[in-house]
Amino acid sequence: MTSSAAASAGIAVGGVNSRISEIDMLRGLVIVLMALDHVRDYFFTGGGLGGNPLDPNTTTKWLYTTRWITHLCAPTFVFLSGVSAYLQFAKGKATPSLSRFLFTRGLWLIFLELTVLSFGWSFGFPYLFFMQVIWAIGWSMIALAALVWLPRLAVLAIGVLIIAGHNLLDPINAADLGSLSLLWTFLHDGGPVFIGGQPVGLLGYPVLPWIGVAAFGYGLGALFVQPAEKRDRTVCLLGLAMLALFVVLRSTMIYGDPIFATGPEAVALDWREQETLRAAIMVFLDVQKYPPSLQFVLVTLGIVFAIWPLLSWLRGPVGSLLNTFGAVPFFFYVLHIYLVHALAIAANAAVGNPIGGYFDYLINVFTAPEKFEGVGFSLPWVYVAWVVVLALLYPACRWWQGVKARRRDWWLSYL
């Protein structure tokens, strides 16, 4: 894209070739929150993956908040992967080169999710494939490799259509599709994956809805190279509009979240049927993440967009910390899985708790939860462990940020 073409497209040419610090800080904010969620998984009493911290009948307000706030992470990461793809186009990367990069990096991320990251979650062989946000980003990049050949507004329309419309597919059940059940699990339903009758993995992030979020990010990418004042105002107003639509849909429960669609549990999970205001608020906000419903995307990205203008105010140590983590998010992600898992083993061993459940962790969570009896720590100690993890990761991330700033090796864009 030439400078004249960029100008005619409404892009602030002077800002295209420099990093947008607010994007790095937003990435840093959500990856710090993601680390909190994963520390809770490993450190909280009884094993964080073993219960539902959003159940109003069993949770506390602090545990609920600790879990719910981390819902902001995955949609923001996937959305920003689409924005980043558009920014590369805006900087002048030719469509064939951009498409090839997205395709190969997507394959690379999928490979790492199935190997390095799945092992990091489990610490054992054979391990279950744990297909989460990196898996979703990888497949979203592969989809974008095809979509970038279309006009930006067409990609935006496809993203909105998928986000708004995929809940119409909820009545289709993978179990009813015979030989196509695995494909539907991959695309829309998610859940345990069986091959030859044997469980081989857990597909937490079915790819179709997340492709919609990435396409939405690519389609809105031009907003992020507009002059700062105009960009901040537009993004904030879009966020407020999304939150308003969420409130309307959630209040009426007419569409956009399958929890309330059908089935005998619908009334029990109806926020209007709760006996206390506390429970009603908790159920009102408990929207489906796996797969992400329309309401989930509206409330999470709505909050992120609404607070976007505040990021420009972050300066000093906090801004620097978030900027560093956000500049090297994948590096942080890989390291923190191994660090959190290892620290959980060390901390439990140090106080005399059994640690056998932490080896083959995922298999034990779902098939031998008794191994986590007497394991873990209270929520305040989870927060202490979270701060320790961030402190230990910061020097390495600062170093890697410097490496990426100084060097332009092609392979650095894959890490």
Side-chain angles (χ1 to χ4, degrees):
M1 176 180 285
T2 64
S3 296
S4 59
S8 66
I11 296 173
V13 178
V16 171
N17 292 321
S18 57
R19 290 187 73 96
I20 300 173
S21 61
E22 288 85 355
I23 289 181
D24 281 339
M25 283 191 284
L26 179 57
R27 280 201 191 97
L29 174 62
V30 293
I31 204 164
V32 162
L33 292 176
M34 182 176 284
L36 172 60
D37 194 36
H38 296 159
V39 170
R40 179 190 59 80
D41 285 334
Y42 282 104
F43 275 82
F44 189 60
T45 302
L49 285 175
N52 179 10
L54 300 181
D55 184 347
N57 297 312
T58 58
T59 193
T60 67
K61 63 181 180 181
W62 295 115
L63 178 59
Y64 183 98
T65 303
T66 299
R67 172 56 179 143
W68 196 95
I69 195 67
T70 63
H71 279 348
L72 303 180
C73 303
T76 304
F77 282 130
V78 178
F79 175 82
L80 289 179
S81 72
V83 173
S84 297
Y86 178 80
L87 293 179
Q88 292 185 59
F89 171 75
K91 292 176 181 179
K93 179 171 281 193
T95 300
S97 297
L98 177 59
S99 178
R100 184 168 56 252
F101 169 73
L102 290 170
F103 183 78
T104 54
R105 190 167 195 261
L107 289 177
W108 173 240
L109 292 179
I110 292 166
F111 170 77
L112 291 178
E113 183 80 293
L114 297 177
T115 55
V116 174
L117 292 169
S118 289
F119 174 76
W121 278 99
S122 291
F123 279 12
F125 286 104
Y127 56 82
L128 292 178
F129 297 131
F130 201 26
M131 294 160 275
Q132 294 202 99
V133 67
I134 302 302
W135 167 269
I137 293 174
W139 283 106
S140 296
M141 286 185 167
I142 291 173
L144 283 176
L147 293 175
V148 295
W149 293 90
L150 300 175
R152 178 181 64 83
L153 292 180
V155 180
L156 175 61
I158 291 171
V160 172
L161 179 63
I162 294 174
I163 292 170
H166 82 87
N167 284 125
L168 294 172
L169 304 173
D170 292 335
I172 302 175
N173 192 320
D176 300 329
L177 297 180
S179 61
L180 296 178
S181 62
L182 183 58
L183 176 62
W184 195 243
T185 298
F186 166 76
L187 286 174
H188 189 265
D189 282 7
V193 176
F194 295 87
I195 295 180
Q198 296 297 315
V200 297
L202 179 63
L203 206 163
Y205 284 65
V207 301
L208 178 62
W210 296 108
I211 289 172
V213 175
F216 186 53
Y218 184 90
L220 291 181
L223 284 179
F224 293 87
V225 286
Q226 295 290 342
E229 183 177 350
K230 180 179 180 181
R231 174 197 66 200
D232 293 353
R233 181 174 62 252
T234 303
V235 173
C236 182
L237 289 175
L238 176 59
L240 294 175
M242 292 172 69
L243 290 174
L245 180 56
F246 163 74
V247 171
V248 170
L249 292 176
R250 198 65 173 171
S251 298
T252 59
M253 300 196 318
I254 57 175
Y255 179 72
D257 196 89
I259 286 177
F260 296 120
T262 58
E265 296 182 358
V267 174
L269 293 172
D270 188 334
W271 65 269
R272 298 169 297 186
E273 301 294 330
Q274 302 305 308
E275 296 182 357
T276 65
L277 177 62
R278 169 185 177 275
I281 293 173
M282 287 181 173
V283 175
F284 187 89
L285 293 174
D286 186 11
V287 284
Q288 179 175 283
K289 180 181 179 181
Y290 307 104
S293 67
L294 167 61
Q295 291 184 23
F296 176 87
V297 174
L298 287 173
V299 69
T300 53
L301 287 185
I303 290 173
V304 169
F305 293 169
I307 68 172
W308 168 268
L310 301 179
L311 296 172
S312 61
W313 298 357
L314 288 176
R315 295 293 182 265
V318 173
S320 176
L321 178 79
L322 296 182
N323 185 279
T324 293
F325 288 149
V328 291
F330 185 63
F331 182 79
F332 178 107
Y333 188 91
V334 174
L335 289 186
H336 98 283
I337 294 296
Y338 280 81
L339 178 61
V340 170
H341 197 160
L343 285 178
I345 294 172
N348 278 280
V351 297
N353 292 339
I355 60 173
Y358 287 100
F359 299 92
D360 294 321
Y361 179 72
L362 292 176
I363 293 175
N364 291 328
V365 164
F366 296 107
T367 65
E370 67 277 2
K371 291 187 176 182
F372 295 97
E373 294 178 2
V375 169
F377 304 87
S378 63
L379 193 59
W381 284 109
V382 170
Y383 276 85
V384 171
W386 175 52
V387 172
V388 170
V389 167
L390 297 180
L392 292 175
L393 286 175
Y394 180 76
C397 290
R398 185 73 173 175
W399 167 76
W400 190 243
Q401 181 187 27
V403 171
K404 297 192 75 171
R406 292 190 302 270
R407 299 176 58 171
R408 291 295 180 267
D409 307 73
W410 65 269
W411 54 269
L412 288 172
S413 61
Y414 287 82
L415 298 175

